[in-house]
Amino acid sequence: MDIKLSDAAEQYRARVRSLLAQELPADWRGIAALSPEEREQFDRTWREFLVEQSLLAPGWPSEYGGGGLDITSHSVVAEEFARAGVPQHVLLTDPVGMTLLGPTVLHWGTEAQKQYFIPRTLSAEIRWAQGYSEPEAGSDLFGVRTRAVLDGDEWVVNGSKIWQTAGAHANWIFALVRTDPEAPKAKGLSFLLIPYDQPGVEVRAIKTMDGGAELAEVFFDNARTSADNLVGGAGNGAKVALTLLGFERGSGGIALALATKLELLRLRDAMRSFGVDDVTLRRRLADCWTSVHVMHCLALRNLTVAASGRPPGPESSISKVMMSEYRKRVTELAVDILGPRALTPTGMPSKVNLGPQPLGVDADSSTAWVADFLHARPGTVYGGSSEIQRNTIGEQVLGLPREPRPVPATKAG
Amino acid sequence: MTFDFTEDQRDFAAMLRSFFDAQYGPDRLREVVDHGKTYDPTFWRTMVDDLDLVGLTVAEAHGGSGGSTVDLCILLEEYGRALVTSPLFATAGLALPALTEAGDEDSRSRWLPRIASGATTATWAVLGSTGAPDLTGTGVQATQGAAGWTLSGSRSWVLDGATADVLLTVAGTPAGPGLFLVETATADGLTRTATDALDPTLALAEVAFTDTPAQRISGDHAPDGLRRALALGTIALAALQLGCLSGALDMAVSYAGTRVQFGRPIGSFQAVKHRCADVFIDTETTRWVVFHAAALASDPETGADALEEAAHLTSAYAASSSFRAVANLLQVLGGIGYTWEHPGHLYFKRATAAARLLGSSTHHLDAVSAVIDAAPSAAPGWGASA
Ligand SMILES: Cc1cc2nc3c(=O)[nH]c(=O)nc-3n(C[C@H](O)[C@H](O)[C@H](O)COP(=O)(O)OP(=O)(O)OC[C@H]3O[C@@H](n4cnc5c(N)ncnc54)[C@H](O)[C@@H]3O)c2cc1C
């Protein structure tokens, strides 16, 4: 039982550190400390730098512009970026492209699909939205109704998708669509890539409870896409969709645990700056610190499993539930520490919507803490809700009986 | 990095599982619980002679197997799961770390072989009168006279305190605290009173010292050594708690899969299924936290501060995760879980007791708070190390 990274991984860490030290200014305090104008400038050059260094997609094969790194080195990059307060993903659509679509095309795609989509995803010529959920198909993902019908060498798509993260910033969507309405529920689905830039696609932003509009709805009205843009074979969509959810597992966990620890130190600094010293709040903070340690241990374990090449076990469900429930707990603690300051948010705005703020955010910005408090709520809903994760663990890991499915009404007579 | 068990360690765990299943089944457990038997010397000899379990972590030079803390935690998980009553935990989990980490060379070569051979059982009376570990020796005073050291004072909640052949405790001296050893069979001025215990599988006692002859066994490295020893004991206790989680998980899942109500197994109802899933999450997370701490403890480069921090974090988590799990277990069991007959309550009581044996969870959380207070503010680390 060895919990230390290999010497090779530590040498690689030293390389990443010196690379960052060269690239970042001497007075660097973290991305979140930049003014909006500085940020715009930084983002542009930083993304170019990442592409140049093959670090935008560290785990993809180098022949397609990735870093060709094994999962442990990839994890080291993520960890050092979090420590330095620089983003791994720059555009709002980058996480979707780099962690979801890219690995899926690399795994399931044809050579032509890889050659076309991978470089364009890295260059941001193509920016992706994830089109799984629909108004009538949320947790019950395989109940999607959006239809695609082959017409010559094109698929014609009708229906709609909802809740696309960064959907208004994208220009392509990968969608789970029904290509065979006669087949049983999960068997009639396909994974289809559809460009926005056509009359049959309409995108509408959704205003969310934090006042922002990061989510979107996408409507298809006889939208068209080339027959070549179906990934993984017709009728194979459910399988492709499920492998997608398992990609990149393991590489981000240690970085996330570190970012979460840095967030707690910021919360401690906020307590100090507000002069809050209450034993109950202090113990809740210590309890959160304990949870962060648990997540760090889980991340090490996940990395071991992922690096061994074994198929993913129940780890991803456990980590998902732990982290999303934790985000609610820590942000509830934050607003309790804020006390009445939560009523009138002031100070530096939040910089990211998912997970802890990067380095550079003011500890006493109530605006940022309140935003995190709101952003934590949907964490237990998206990506498989806490209830769905518990069903999965109960049925697929513990072997408990499934719930009886409703019996379809038999036709009278 | 390979945060996983070796093939040998998996085999060891499987061997222990079948050994305890075969040798320490429900009947034997019931006998202990119903008749207040502290432990069965024949079973003790089997554990010691056939499997060398008590000497598992004792150096080979001292007659043990030279195993690591990871090996010990594997043993204690299975031992805890089987709810065994014996001097194993107090001896191997508490007294051995104290002797090994804080004892001087003389006492180590004198006592470790006897303990490893199973001839001598031992315990460490850790808690002070507030229920927090006492490493400063406030509860017991040591005085040096012409005939050697004597102890005066008392210790409560001493695991196996009424039966252990050798009793260790930290006592105050004018020159600071030291670790002392009392041979219980021959010591004058020693009163040991077995107490009723919430957990019938853990035997507790009150121990009073009145000018009781004792040997001073700690050397100059005692303060750090005692902190390390307590951290190791705390990690060992967490492995015992992990056993409680793992036992509660199997019991809850098997009951949920077989008990039928409304024409279907209760485990098909989400309210029940989700409780089982929560017990699973608590068990798996605790497992990797415990073995992370055990791996740190097995690494000679880990300093006392880091080990202590890991022990507080592990203990704080194991206390809450194991209690959540046993509470879920009792709810899943329905009425049968409230009976004396069904073993479910034994896990419930074990989790409750273990969360107090080496300090409460608030004690450990407050120690974590101190770590947070001392940590430097977050600043970009690309220039600095770690
Ligand atoms: C911030 C955010 C970002 C998102 N980003 C994307 C995206 O980029 N792309 C995309 O395709 N989708 C995205 N989603 C959609 C997300 O995946 C869905 O919201 C999620 O799958 C839940 O579906 P639903 O909202 O329809 O809720 P429902 O499925 O209707 O669930 C409502 C409630 O019922 C519970 N429930 C449902 N079924 C069961 C069951 N079988 N057992 C027990 N409880 C059950 C759920 O847990 C939940 O509490 C996003 C959602 C949010 C909030």
Side-chain angles (χ1 to χ4, degrees):
Chain A
M1 192 155 291
D2 179 8
I3 52 175
K4 284 186 183 159
L5 294 195
S6 67
D7 289 349
E10 291 304 337
Q11 278 157 18
Y12 185 68
R13 184 193 304 283
R15 290 221 329 256
V16 175
R17 280 191 185 174
S18 67
L19 188 68
L20 291 174
Q22 276 165 32
E23 183 65 18
L24 297 171
D27 60 350
W28 180 252
R29 289 176 42 232
I31 177 102
L34 301 181
S35 69
E37 303 76 48
E38 290 168 331
R39 174 72 192 259
E40 210 173 297
Q41 172 67 29
F42 175 85
D43 277 355
R44 211 167 317 115
T45 50
W46 183 248
R47 201 176 187 287
E48 279 165 19
F49 168 76
L50 292 180
V51 172
E52 240 166 61
Q53 298 289 331
S54 304
L55 286 176
L56 188 57
W60 298 1
S62 35
E63 64 208 274
Y64 297 103
L69 297 183
D70 60 37
I71 191 151
T72 308
S73 308
H74 186 175
S75 165
V76 166
V77 173
E79 194 185 351
E80 290 309 314
F81 278 25
R83 201 190 307 279
V86 290
Q88 264 192 285
H89 300 127
V90 180
L91 302 173
L92 288 172
T93 50
D94 278 345
V96 185
M98 304 308 148
T99 66
L100 302 178
L101 188 277
T104 305
V105 167
L106 286 166
H107 184 84
W108 289 100
T110 60
E111 190 52 39
Q113 287 170 337
K114 293 182 197 175
Q115 296 289 353
Y116 187 83
F117 289 107
I118 295 299
R120 286 171 176 77
T121 301
L122 284 170
S123 72
E125 181 187 333
I126 296 184
R127 300 178 300 280
W128 293 100
Q130 177 187 16
Y132 278 15
S133 306
E134 296 182 3
E136 302 302 327
S139 299
D140 189 9
L141 175 60
F142 297 148
V144 295
R145 298 175 181 183
T146 296
R147 281 278 282 126
V149 178
L150 200 56
D151 175 27
D153 56 1
E154 282 187 329
W155 291 97
V156 179
V157 186
N158 281 287
S160 70
K161 294 289 174 181
I162 190 167
W163 312 126
Q164 278 59 57
T165 299
H169 302 268
N171 60 3
W172 277 69
I173 183 167
F174 57 90
L176 200 56
V177 295
R178 194 160 294 282
T179 44
D180 182 358
E182 305 303 321
K185 199 169 161 185
K187 300 260 161 68
L189 303 177
S190 299
F191 190 94
L192 196 58
L193 314 177
I194 307 164
Y196 272 10
D197 187 15
Q198 56 173 310
V201 174
E202 191 195 335
V203 181
R204 281 184 220 151
I206 301 172
K207 189 164 181 181
T208 45
M209 84 172 187
D210 61 342
E214 213 211 295
L215 300 182
E217 281 180 278
V218 181
F219 298 89
F220 306 102
D221 178 11
N222 289 316
R224 292 185 163 258
T225 192
S226 158
D228 295 337
N229 291 339
L230 192 143
V231 179
N236 229 3
K239 207 165 165 189
V240 178
L242 287 181
T243 38
L244 174 144
L245 299 174
F247 281 129
E248 302 276 303
R249 73 198 165 94
S251 67
I254 294 176
L256 189 54
L258 173 64
T260 306
K261 189 168 182 172
L262 298 177
E263 174 185 49
L264 275 184
L265 287 171
R266 185 161 54 88
L267 191 52
R268 176 207 61 183
D269 292 348
M271 276 179 94
R272 287 181 181 165
S273 133
F274 298 144
V276 173
D277 186 18
D278 168 272
V279 70
T280 311
L281 294 174
R282 284 171 62 84
R283 286 194 181 134
R284 282 171 65 189
L285 189 74
D287 189 54
C288 284
W289 189 270
T290 307
S291 298
V292 170
H293 175 68
V294 175
M295 291 186 287
H296 173 73
C297 294
L298 279 181
L300 289 175
R301 172 65 192 160
N302 292 353
L303 187 58
T304 290
V305 174
S308 77
R310 265 175 280 158
E315 303 88 16
S316 57
S317 282
I318 295 177
S319 301
K320 167 69 176 45
V321 173
M322 285 291 290
M323 184 49 91
S324 57
E325 299 288 348
Y326 171 78
R327 292 228 52 76
K328 289 181 172 176
R329 204 148 43 88
V330 67
T331 56
E332 285 161 18
L333 171 61
V335 292
D336 285 349
I337 286 172
L338 292 178
R341 295 171 194 86
L343 294 170
T344 48
T346 48
M348 186 185 259
S350 82
K351 308 288 173 166
V352 297
N353 288 359
L354 285 183
Q357 299 299 320
L359 282 192
V361 169
D362 292 340
D364 54 7
S365 164
S366 53
T367 303
W369 288 118
V370 167
D372 287 342
F373 172 62
L374 301 180
H375 292 145
R377 305 324 290 184
T380 51
V381 171
Y382 60 68
S385 70
S386 287
E387 288 76 20
I388 296 298
Q389 303 292 346
R390 286 181 169 93
N391 284 347
T392 305
I393 290 172
E395 290 164 15
Q396 288 170 34
V397 182
L398 302 177
L400 290 169
R402 296 174 69 102
E403 269 181 290
R405 304 277 144 157
V407 186
T410 45
K411 280 184 197 131
Chain B
M1 183 193 68
T2 313
F3 189 20
D4 206 347
F5 301 98
T6 63
E7 212 48 52
D8 282 352
Q9 287 168 337
R10 284 183 198 285
D11 291 347
F12 182 50
M15 182 279 287
L16 290 165
R17 175 77 56 102
S18 50
F19 170 72
F20 288 126
D21 279 353
Q23 301 282 317
Y24 211 90
D27 291 347
R28 192 188 289 261
L29 182 59
R30 189 119 307 281
E31 208 181 307
V32 170
V33 172
D34 287 348
H35 305 297
K37 270 180 95 166
T38 46
Y39 77 98
D40 176 345
T42 323
F43 182 67
W44 174 248
R45 295 282 3 145
T46 316
M47 284 201 295
V48 174
D49 296 341
D50 299 354
L51 302 174
D52 192 26
L53 296 185
V54 71
L56 181 67
T57 57
V58 173
E60 289 176 28
H62 287 132
S65 294
S68 67
T69 305
V70 171
D71 300 322
L72 179 66
C73 287
I74 292 171
L75 163 61
L76 291 175
E77 176 182 348
E78 292 304 324
Y79 177 84
R81 186 178 179 279
L83 293 163
V84 180
T85 298
S86 90
L88 180 76
F89 178 74
T91 304
L94 299 179
L96 276 180
L99 268 168
T100 310
E101 298 293 331
D104 53 28
E105 191 46 46
D106 274 359
S107 54
R108 283 205 295 254
S109 29
R110 179 141 182 239
W111 291 106
L112 293 181
R114 297 188 198 185
I115 288 176
S117 75
T120 299
T121 65
T123 190
W124 177 12
V126 177
L127 296 184
S129 59
T130 60
D134 175 15
L135 291 189
T136 53
T138 14
V140 179
Q141 288 306 310
T143 317
Q144 196 167 22
W149 289 94
T150 56
L151 302 184
S152 289
S154 64
R155 292 281 179 221
S156 301
W157 312 294
V158 182
L159 192 59
D160 297 335
T163 55
D165 301 320
V166 155
L167 214 149
L168 302 174
T169 200
V170 176
T173 79
L179 183 66
F180 290 83
L181 180 150
V182 174
E183 294 185 57
T184 58
T186 53
D188 293 330
L190 178 69
T191 330
R192 305 190 290 161
T193 318
T195 41
D196 283 343
L198 161 74
D199 177 350
T201 63
L202 294 178
L204 298 179
E206 296 273 342
V207 178
F209 308 94
T210 317
D211 299 325
T212 312
Q215 300 154 35
R216 179 176 180 139
I217 62 163
S218 56
D220 296 338
H221 60 297
D224 252 15
L226 284 171
R227 285 170 59 210
R228 292 184 64 91
L230 180 58
L232 292 172
T234 307
I235 293 164
L237 179 65
L240 205 66
Q241 291 168 303
L242 172 60
C244 199
L245 279 150
S246 136
L249 174 65
D250 286 355
M251 195 176 271
V253 170
S254 93
Y255 196 75
T258 48
R259 169 73 178 166
V260 172
Q261 287 291 280
F262 298 95
R264 51 180 170 127
I266 56 170
S268 66
F269 297 108
Q270 279 197 358
V272 173
K273 182 179 291 170
H274 288 189
R275 281 187 193 273
C276 293
D278 283 339
V279 179
F280 176 77
I281 292 173
D282 277 325
T283 306
E284 282 300 298
T285 49
T286 305
R287 168 163 298 115
W288 297 112
V289 171
V290 166
F291 283 99
H292 184 271
L296 277 178
S298 306
D299 178 351
E301 282 174 27
T302 305
D305 284 349
L307 195 60
E308 221 172 24
E309 183 182 338
H312 289 305
L313 288 167
T314 306
S315 184
Y317 188 65
S320 56
S321 63
S322 59
F323 189 75
R324 269 195 304 271
V326 294
N328 275 325
L329 168 65
L330 288 204
Q331 185 65 18
V332 168
L333 290 176
I336 198 81
Y338 188 60
T339 62
W340 184 265
E341 186 64 28
H342 193 280
H345 69 107
L346 298 175
Y347 285 126
F348 186 81
K349 291 170 179 171
R350 173 62 70 84
T352 308
R356 285 153 179 79
L357 272 186
L358 294 177
S360 65
S361 59
T362 47
H363 163 78
H364 293 290
L365 277 182
D366 289 346
V368 171
S369 270
V371 170
I372 300 175
D373 281 339
S377 285
W382 54 266
S385 62

